Amino acid sequence: MTHILLLYYFVFLLPTESCRTLCQVANKSKEKMPARPHDVCDGVCVDNSHCSQPCPPDTQGNTGFLCRQKKWHKITETCRTLNAFNIFETNSYSVQPFGGNTVIKEYAKESETITDLLMQKCPQDLSCVLRNIRQSPRSPGNIAVIVQLLHNISTVLWTGVDEVKMQSYSTMANHILNSRSISNWTFIPERNSSCVLLHSVNSFARKLFINKYPIDISDAFIHTTGATISRDNAGKNFTFSMRINDTGSEITGRVLISRDELQKIPAPSQAVSIAFPTLGAILEASVLENVTVNGLVLSVILPKELKRISLIFEKISKSEERRTQCVGWHPLESRWDQQACQMIQENSQQAVCKCRPSKLFTSFSILTSPHILESPILTHVTYIGLGISICSLILCLSIEALVWGQVTKTEISYLRHVCVANIAATLLMADVWFIVASFLSGPMTHHNACVAATFFVHFFYLSVFFWMLAKALLILYGILIVFHTLPKSVLVAALFSVGYGCPLLIAAVTVAATEPSKGYLRPEACWLNWDMTKALLAFVVPALAIVVVNLITVTLVIVKTQRAAIGSSMFQEVRAIVRISKNIAILTPLLGLTWGFGIATVVDDSNLAFHIIFSLLNAFQGFFILVFGTILDPKIREALKSRVTSAKWISRISAVKPSYSLLHVECCENALWYGWFRSAP
């Protein structure tokens, strides 16, 4: 018996102890072996180089890095725990470990996808994957798997989508729409995953069948409502109130369908609306738009007869200094589009939009510029500069009026000073209307006044440039044609037609073409729209074209006047033309540079330096015209000196002989330069 026990010990117990010892040694060796970090690359970091690391154990995929400034930065991640086998609940689809290998009991064919298995396991309610999806980590790889699953489901199921299926579908979408997962969307290699999700949810909801009673499926990050509508309804509203994160306060959104719109429905139909509190931030993180979604994203699935709805968005950020836009999501171009909506009313709390739903535009929201460009420096520079400009222009016109008779003795001098006076007058009116427009609170509250102010600002600023063009044409006429072939009245009429007729035509056509569609004004200010209709081009293109023409004219003058002989009969005319050319050569680059920076502010509206430079140059245009168009003109300085000298002698004569009549004083003034000193008693 003893021998048998000893044999049993050696045969069974010793191997067991040996295995146990070997396992302990192996475990200790594993503990001593340092785990390789998965968030750092092993390679040498050279700027713009890439690196890839495998994901942690028990997960599939890898992590991609990019070297910037000698440091590795994670840019992509495909780490996932979900696949076609473990996504299903254990009790209906078991996965058992045995011998270190995973044995799949059924559905192990490689050709079958998660969607195929889902349709086989729980086609009635899609619920057999919900528990494992809800328990899975929201890693970028898992998010991508769920997005693809939702997309495939929306493609496979053409009909038979009821409230139960919609509930399961929303639960899956809600898991990856959680506010805690927003940052993980940025690491998904497929940058359009969020766009695919939005399109998939809308496509699935479009197949939803609403029976007699309304549907209301509410999750934390997706809320679906649906109801039947008919022309007998007095109107239909869908109201949502949702949290943008786990702890934040709720924001609201409303979809309003008017009674007039419902009259267009030939037969009872159904309407579905879906609200997303976090999808806007996910889209922003994924497609890298330079805007911020400032409210709920509202999707609407309506009968094709309904062409116009109202949407009310409560703002997430209630800053009054940020510009707001109503937009629709363009699924083909993966971007927000202003053509789908227009702003109706706005305040610091909410925005009211009128939108046009269609098969293309289904989802809508409001955008807010991430940059606040209103600054005390910019405001002070603008108003101080405009004050200096207005004072300079008034002084310029006063000087022109004072010396008019002495500097307009020749025809070309007369025409030149007509141009200078009108340039100063139109810029003065433009600055005044600019100040009027700035005091209006915006198109939302003073729309008609804003339209009028914008029209006059546009017209008068254009007139400044067209009068500059008139001066250039006057030069070309004097050089290329014998100057006195046309009567002065005809030339004056031509100058006024160019200076006022062309700007009036452009300004009128612009407002007539864009205002009916509410695309004339910017949403945030009384000025020409850029984002929606590009109405600003009606100012920028003519202004910069005139700058080019004027610079070409100056070049032509330089070439032509070099050939003029000093003793020729045309020498005086040539000298006058040269004076005009000098004036244009100075003012044209200044004005062109001013509005060149204006274009820079449109291209890069976040750069405060561009706005300050533009405001400085634009506000001091009147000062430039006073200095370079008037004060530096030798003829005007000579005439001013003559007037000042005359005034001094008249005052002296009045002091010596106060009994002189006013008529005698005027005669003395006219005779001042002809030896009046010798004839005086």
Side-chain angles (χ1 to χ4, degrees):
M1 184 66 177
T2 304
H3 296 288
I4 296 175
L5 291 175
L6 288 175
L7 182 61
Y8 175 84
Y9 176 83
F10 282 106
V11 173
F12 292 99
L13 296 184
L14 281 181
T16 304
E17 290 297 324
S18 300
C19 290
R20 186 176 302 158
T21 303
L22 290 174
C23 290
Q24 290 175 355
V25 172
N27 289 335
K28 289 181 180 180
S29 64
K30 287 183 180 180
E31 291 175 0
K32 292 179 181 179
M33 184 181 297
R36 186 172 65 176
H38 299 277
D39 56 351
V40 179
C41 271
D42 296 333
V44 178
C45 185
V46 180
D47 281 351
N48 298 321
S49 61
H50 290 78
C51 175
S52 180
Q53 289 287 96
C55 291
D58 302 327
T59 60
Q60 298 175 334
N62 55 67
T63 305
F65 296 86
L66 174 65
C67 181
R68 291 195 298 263
Q69 298 179 350
K70 306 301 181 181
K71 291 184 179 180
W72 289 111
H73 298 269
K74 185 171 72 171
I75 56 174
T76 62
E77 181 185 325
T78 60
C79 300
R80 61 189 182 275
T81 60
L82 297 176
N83 54 50
F85 307 116
N86 63 13
I87 196 171
F88 296 93
E89 293 185 13
T90 306
N91 56 6
S92 62
Y93 190 88
S94 60
V95 181
Q96 299 179 352
F98 181 79
N101 297 320
T102 300
V103 179
I104 308 300
K105 284 191 173 182
E106 53 182 346
Y107 305 122
K109 298 179 181 178
E110 295 182 359
S111 60
E112 290 180 309
T113 65
I114 298 178
T115 311
D116 297 328
L117 301 176
L118 180 63
M119 293 297 103
Q120 296 178 37
K121 298 303 296 180
C122 52
Q124 299 301 320
D125 56 9
L126 310 178
S127 63
C128 57
V129 296
L130 297 184
R131 187 174 70 177
N132 288 347
I133 284 180
R134 282 193 295 240
Q135 293 176 352
S136 65
R138 300 181 185 90
S139 64
N142 283 345
I143 292 175
V145 170
I146 297 173
V147 168
Q148 189 61 45
L149 173 62
L150 293 173
H151 173 69
N152 292 344
I153 292 173
S154 66
T155 304
V156 170
L157 287 180
W158 288 97
T159 58
V161 177
D162 55 13
E163 185 174 359
V164 176
K165 288 189 178 69
M166 192 71 208
Q167 177 67 71
S168 298
Y169 196 90
S170 297
T171 301
M172 288 184 263
N174 182 74
H175 180 70
I176 56 177
L177 288 169
N178 192 294
S179 58
R180 298 176 182 176
S181 68
I182 293 176
S183 60
N184 288 337
W185 285 82
T186 61
F187 300 117
I188 302 176
E190 296 78 15
R191 304 301 304 176
N192 66 335
S193 293
S194 57
C195 312
V196 172
L197 174 64
L198 177 59
H199 176 72
S200 301
V201 173
N202 290 338
S203 298
F204 194 78
R206 192 179 295 276
K207 303 163 188 174
L208 177 62
F209 175 73
I210 302 174
N211 204 351
K212 184 177 180 181
Y213 301 103
I215 290 177
D216 193 322
I217 303 171
S218 180
D219 288 292
F221 302 101
I222 177 173
H223 186 180
T224 304
T225 60
T228 57
I229 56 175
S230 67
R231 59 192 310 166
D232 296 331
N233 297 127
K236 189 62 184 176
N237 300 340
F238 297 103
T239 302
F240 303 94
S241 181
M242 306 182 74
R243 297 179 184 272
I244 57 174
N245 52 50
D246 292 336
T247 59
S249 58
E250 293 186 347
I251 60 170
T252 60
R254 297 182 65 191
V255 179
L256 308 177
I257 307 174
S258 67
R259 183 174 184 176
D260 293 338
E261 281 294 309
L262 291 177
Q263 295 300 312
K264 301 176 182 178
I265 302 176
S269 187
Q270 64 181 39
V272 178
S273 184
I274 311 170
F276 307 90
T278 57
L279 185 58
I282 291 173
L283 287 167
E284 178 187 352
S286 300
V287 302
L288 304 178
E289 290 252 345
N290 190 28
V291 290
T292 300
V293 177
N294 200 26
L296 297 176
V297 174
L298 297 179
S299 294
V300 288
I301 293 92
L302 301 172
K304 62 181 180 180
E305 291 81 9
L306 298 182
K307 302 296 184 182
R308 192 173 295 271
I309 58 174
S310 297
L311 302 173
I312 302 176
F313 297 95
E314 182 183 354
K315 295 181 178 180
I316 299 173
S317 174
K318 295 177 172 57
S319 172
E320 296 182 357
E321 298 177 339
R322 297 178 184 267
R323 57 181 296 190
T324 301
Q325 304 167 344
C326 299
V327 291
W329 181 256
H330 198 303
L332 300 181
E333 300 180 3
S334 298
R335 62 176 179 85
W336 292 108
D337 195 329
Q338 295 185 44
Q339 300 293 334
C341 295
Q342 67 184 54
M343 182 76 72
I344 301 299
Q345 188 177 0
E346 182 193 7
N347 55 41
S348 62
Q349 301 295 317
Q350 65 180 20
V352 181
C353 306
K354 187 77 74 174
C355 298
R356 298 182 297 275
S358 63
K359 287 187 176 181
L360 183 63
F361 292 108
T362 307
S363 303
F364 308 93
S365 189
I366 54 173
L367 302 183
T368 298
S369 173
H371 307 287
I372 301 177
L373 295 177
E374 297 295 333
S375 68
I377 297 176
L378 190 60
T379 303
H380 292 154
V381 165
T382 300
Y383 284 108
I384 292 173
L386 282 175
I388 295 174
S389 180
I390 290 175
C391 293
S392 300
L393 292 169
I394 293 174
L395 182 59
C396 177
L397 291 173
S398 300
I399 293 174
E400 286 288 336
L402 188 64
V403 301
W404 185 266
Q406 294 171 266
V407 297
T408 58
K409 293 179 180 180
T410 65
E411 183 171 311
I412 190 169
S413 297
Y414 174 83
L415 296 175
R416 171 186 176 258
H417 283 279
V418 166
C419 293
V420 171
N422 279 279
I423 288 173
T426 52
L427 185 56
L428 175 62
M429 294 302 299
D431 288 344
V432 170
W433 276 106
F434 182 88
I435 293 176
V436 171
S438 67
F439 277 103
L440 297 175
S441 58
M444 297 303 108
T445 54
H446 299 93
H447 183 79
N448 293 334
C450 220
V451 170
T454 301
F455 174 82
F456 284 114
V457 171
H458 184 202
F459 167 67
F460 283 116
Y461 274 131
L462 272 182
S463 294
V464 174
F465 281 92
F466 273 94
W467 274 106
M468 293 288 293
L469 176 64
K471 289 182 69 176
L473 296 177
L474 185 65
I475 293 173
L476 291 176
Y477 180 78
I479 292 178
L480 302 178
I481 305 175
V482 178
F483 198 80
H484 298 291
T485 55
L486 291 177
K488 183 169 69 173
S489 59
V490 175
L491 293 175
V492 171
L495 292 177
F496 273 83
S497 298
V498 173
Y500 290 114
C502 294
L504 181 62
L505 179 63
I506 294 174
V509 170
T510 303
V511 68
T514 58
E515 176 56 22
S517 61
K518 302 300 180 183
Y520 183 59
L521 302 174
R522 295 190 176 193
E524 76 283 1
C526 298
W527 184 227
L528 298 173
N529 185 287
W530 171 255
D531 297 314
M532 183 176 175
T533 60
K534 300 295 187 291
L536 184 60
L537 291 177
F539 172 74
V540 173
V541 172
L544 296 187
I546 290 172
V547 169
V548 173
V549 171
N550 286 2
L551 293 178
I552 293 174
T553 301
V554 171
T555 304
L556 184 61
V557 167
I558 294 174
V559 174
K560 289 289 185 181
T561 54
Q562 287 178 346
R563 302 176 183 177
I566 294 180
S568 66
S569 60
M570 289 291 294
F571 180 63
Q572 295 297 328
E573 300 290 353
V574 170
R575 288 186 60 187
I577 291 173
V578 169
R579 283 197 299 273
I580 302 175
S581 301
K582 288 179 180 179
N583 182 255
I584 291 180
I586 294 172
L587 285 180
T588 293
L590 285 175
L591 296 179
L593 182 65
T594 295
W595 293 103
F597 274 99
I599 294 177
T601 62
V602 174
V603 175
D604 185 6
D605 63 352
S606 64
N607 195 319
L608 184 61
F610 283 166
H611 286 265
I612 292 177
I613 294 173
F614 173 63
S615 297
L616 275 171
L617 293 175
N618 188 45
F620 285 95
Q621 284 184 57
F623 179 74
F624 297 152
I625 290 176
L626 171 65
V627 173
F628 299 107
T630 302
I631 294 178
L632 294 182
D633 189 323
K635 290 292 185 180
I636 292 181
R637 291 202 306 272
E638 183 181 341
L640 282 175
K641 186 185 295 184
S642 173
R643 294 295 299 235
V644 170
T645 305
S646 300
K648 287 182 178 179
W649 279 105
I650 291 171
S651 62
R652 185 176 300 178
I653 292 170
S654 300
V656 175
K657 295 183 178 182
S659 60
Y660 281 0
S661 65
L662 179 61
L663 179 61
H664 190 190
V665 172
E666 291 177 354
C667 292
C668 291
E669 179 186 354
N670 292 332
L672 184 63
W673 298 105
Y674 299 97
W676 179 84
F677 297 103
R678 292 190 296 273
S679 61

